[in-house]
Amino acid sequence: REPAPPLPGGFAPGEQVYFTGASETLDTGERVVHGQAVEVSGPATQEPYVGQHVLVRFPGHKALVSILPAVLSRDPTPLFAGGFKPGDRLYYIGSAVLGYDASGKHSFKLSFGERGEVVGQGDAATEVGMIFAGPGRTNRQFSLLPAELSWEEPSGGEPCSSRSR
């Protein structure tokens, strides 16, 4: 019997690696989080992914996920500004801010006390990328300074004024 061909990216079944892609909610409703440890299961078995993707198991997921090897790393992802990591759930303690979608036509507001999730580095190395739930299944993404974020739910008080808006 011939040995199995190597997996794309040189990974091996059973190897623990880290997901370096963007955090998102899959169609199944399960979350994949940047920096999360995953286990390589084997090669992708469905076209058009055969020979290009590997199957990985995310903790708590029922099904395997087909992933490009380029978004997997053997090294843990580094912490972001403020020492935060992907998946951290934090409260916004800054002044209300208005953001816009990619088209620049639709605005949305981020308010003091809202809770969101770290998804990556912000627009600048000194900022943290955060997602906050929006109406329906939409998400609002902001690039925020660590001083605008807190582990503790604010109980009133004044928003911090870490930058001018």
Side-chain angles (χ1 to χ4, degrees):
R1 182 173 179 188
E2 291 184 36
L7 296 178
F11 296 107
E15 186 174 1
Q16 181 169 311
V17 295
Y18 299 88
F19 176 65
T20 62
S23 298
E24 65 177 299
T25 301
L26 303 176
D27 292 339
T28 62
E30 296 171 310
R31 296 260 314 140
V32 295
V33 178
H34 176 91
Q36 191 170 20
V38 299
E39 183 180 324
V40 176
S41 177
T45 56
Q46 293 183 327
E47 291 295 343
Y49 308 113
V50 173
Q52 298 175 32
H53 286 206
V54 293
L55 294 174
V56 299
R57 178 166 309 281
F58 281 84
H61 286 213
K62 293 177 182 138
L64 298 173
V65 179
S66 179
I67 297 279
L68 277 169
V71 295
L72 297 174
S73 172
R74 288 182 173 90
D75 299 317
T77 56
L79 297 177
F80 300 115
F84 301 120
K85 66 184 183 311
D88 283 349
R89 305 273 301 156
L90 306 167
Y91 293 94
Y92 177 65
I93 58 171
S95 298
V97 61
L98 195 60
Y100 294 91
D101 68 4
S103 72
K105 296 178 183 175
H106 303 98
S107 66
F108 43 83
K109 183 179 179 181
L110 177 61
S111 299
F112 176 81
E114 286 192 62
R115 190 172 188 201
E117 180 179 332
V118 175
V119 293
Q121 180 176 305
D123 296 336
T126 56
E127 296 178 333
V128 180
M130 295 281 299
I131 282 188
F132 296 84
R137 289 192 56 152
T138 62
N139 286 322
R140 299 164 296 144
Q141 187 160 349
F142 291 87
S143 183
L144 302 169
L145 294 169
E148 298 173 305
L149 301 169
S150 172
W151 291 103
E152 304 294 323
E153 183 173 12
S155 56
E158 291 294 316
C160 72
S161 55
S162 57
R163 68 168 109 176
S164 58
R165 300 226 183 253

